Amino acid sequence: MEKPQKFLSFNLGVRDTAVISLEQITEVLQISLGDICGVPQMSSYILGVYNWRDEMLWLVDLDEMLGYPPLSQTANMLVKMMAIVLEENGKYLGLLVRQLMDIEWLYIHQMKAPSTELFSPSISPFLQGYFINDDEKMMFNLDAEAIIHSPVWTNHN
């Protein structure tokens, strides 16, 4: 019998919900935008680096990376944002999100395959699929590995 897996759910844009498997999350922390050290000549969704555990943690505006309006449009520098720290093979990346929601218990066999008609080209490469929750709402299952291995990083990491 398949066991449900734990996922962290959070807002994507204003209306959408996304989940990432807890197995791929190292830590969740609050960061104010003013504490992020900007790096020139980067894509606008790469917010810069943050001092985390005495290491440089790259931070990304996940909304903007996936084609939503940037978080910086709606937040001032003092607002605390939530950062989800992903780890894969010793590589870390922080995803800034609008708001964390909950821990979801989901069955992988209930995940539906992402179809190109449903999702924009900016989000498709980072999707493993999606779940339909109890309220009949879609929850995008983001692929942490695909985000970490996105071509934008290969130049900077």
Side-chain angles (χ1 to χ4, degrees):
M1 208 31 217
E2 184 199 17
K3 286 193 172 111
Q5 292 185 17
K6 284 189 199 171
F7 289 81
L8 177 65
S9 64
F10 53 92
N11 289 107
L12 206 52
V14 180
R15 290 189 305 274
D16 293 336
T17 302
V19 294
I20 292 181
S21 168
L22 275 189
E23 289 174 9
Q24 297 176 303
I25 297 173
T26 301
E27 193 176 332
V28 173
L29 46 137
Q30 271 197 322
I31 294 179
S32 35
L33 293 177
D35 291 340
I36 300 169
C37 181
V39 179
Q41 281 138 16
M42 290 292 226
S43 302
S44 59
Y45 59 81
I46 300 173
L47 298 171
V49 290
Y50 177 77
N51 183 358
W52 173 70
R53 298 183 183 175
D54 290 332
E55 284 191 43
M56 277 186 7
L57 177 67
W58 283 96
L59 287 172
V60 177
D61 177 340
L62 187 63
D63 275 16
E64 188 176 355
M65 180 177 175
L66 300 180
Y68 292 85
L71 291 173
S72 55
Q73 276 183 3
T74 54
N76 66 40
M77 294 310 267
L78 300 170
V79 168
K80 293 246 191 255
M81 292 282 195
M82 297 310 294
I84 299 171
V85 181
L86 304 179
E87 187 267 336
E88 205 229 1
N89 293 333
K91 276 191 176 176
Y92 294 92
L93 178 63
L95 308 178
L96 237 57
V97 299
R98 197 175 299 273
Q99 194 179 337
L100 299 179
M101 291 165 73
D102 210 347
I103 301 290
E104 311 278 347
W105 291 86
L106 300 167
Y107 289 95
I108 292 297
H109 75 267
Q110 293 177 341
M111 181 172 69
K112 305 192 181 336
S115 69
T116 43
E117 298 83 56
L118 275 179
F119 299 102
S120 72
S122 50
I123 196 171
S124 293
F126 305 110
L127 269 184
Q128 283 188 317
Y130 64 95
F131 296 97
I132 303 293
N133 69 10
D134 301 338
D135 306 328
E136 300 291 310
K137 282 180 75 177
M138 196 186 284
M139 292 191 300
F140 306 161
N141 183 15
L142 296 180
D143 184 344
E145 272 183 49
I147 293 170
I148 289 176
H149 293 297
S150 164
V152 297
W153 303 113
T154 44
N155 319 336
H156 311 301
N157 241 334

